[in-house]
Amino acid sequence: MSYAEIASKGPKQTPQEAAAPQPPQIVNSTSASTSSLVDVDTPSVRTVPSDFGEQEVQTDTQAARLEREAEEAASRARAEADLAKKKARNKARKADTWLTKKFEELSDGSSGALVAANLIGLVGLSGWLGFKAWGLYDNGRLTWKSVGLGLGILGAVGAVEGVFGGYLYKAKGKGKKQ
C-alpha cells in the first residue's frame, strides 16, 4: 500500500485546512526614522586634521604614548652609541696590538736593536736637516724661524721615539719593578 492510498482513506480536510498559511502583512503606519543614522555630510562627523601630531596633548593616554616613544628612542640611541664606542675601542686595541707586534719584531727580544734603530734615525734626520740649514745659510736665507722649525722637528721625533721605546720596554716586562 502507498501513502496516497492510506491518506485517501482518512478524514477529509476542509479547504481552509488544506490551504497554506497566509504570510503576515506589514502595516506601514509610521514613517522610517533616519535620525539615528550617521551621515557623512553632517557636521557631527569628526575627521582628524592633518596637523594632529603637532597639536597639544589632550589626554593621559597620549602623554603616556609620547613618553614611551621618547624613552624607546633614547634607549635606541644609547644602544647605538654604546655599540659605536665598543667598535672604536676594539679598533684602537687592534691597532695598538699591531703596532706593538711590529716594534717587537724589530727588536728581536733585545732593546739594543731598538736603540740602534732610533740612533740611526735621529742621526740621519739631523744630518739631513743640517744639510738643508747649510744650504739656507749659504744663500743668506737662514732665519731663527727655520732654525726653530728644525729643532722642533728633531724634538718631536725624539719624543715619539722615546715614548714608543719606553712603551715597548715596559710591554716586554723589562721595565717592571720587582
Side-chain angles (χ1 to χ4, degrees), residues 106-107 110-124 161:
L106 284 177
S107 66
S110 68
S111 60
L114 186 61
V115 169
N118 285 342
L119 184 63
I120 291 170
L122 198 57
V123 168
E161 287 180 351

Side-chain angles (χ1 to χ4, degrees), residues 56-142:
E56 291 183 25
V57 176
Q58 296 178 355
T59 65
D60 293 337
T61 306
Q62 286 176 332
R65 177 184 54 84
L66 291 175
E67 280 184 31
R68 276 194 315 271
E69 288 175 355
E71 288 173 2
E72 289 173 1
S75 66
R76 275 195 304 265
R78 277 192 299 269
E80 289 175 2
D82 289 342
L83 182 62
K85 284 180 186 177
K86 287 179 183 177
K87 285 183 180 180
R89 200 175 307 129
N90 287 340
K91 285 182 180 179
R93 189 176 298 126
K94 285 180 183 178
D96 186 39
T97 304
W98 178 83
L99 188 62
T100 303
K101 285 181 183 178
K102 292 301 178 186
F103 276 114
E104 285 176 356
E105 290 173 3
L106 284 177
S107 66
D108 281 339
S110 68
S111 60
L114 186 61
V115 169
N118 285 342
L119 184 63
I120 291 170
L122 198 57
V123 168
L125 182 62
S126 298
W128 182 76
L129 286 174
F131 178 75
K132 287 294 189 183
W134 187 260
L136 288 175
Y137 176 74
D138 278 346
N139 293 334
R141 296 186 342 205
L142 183 64

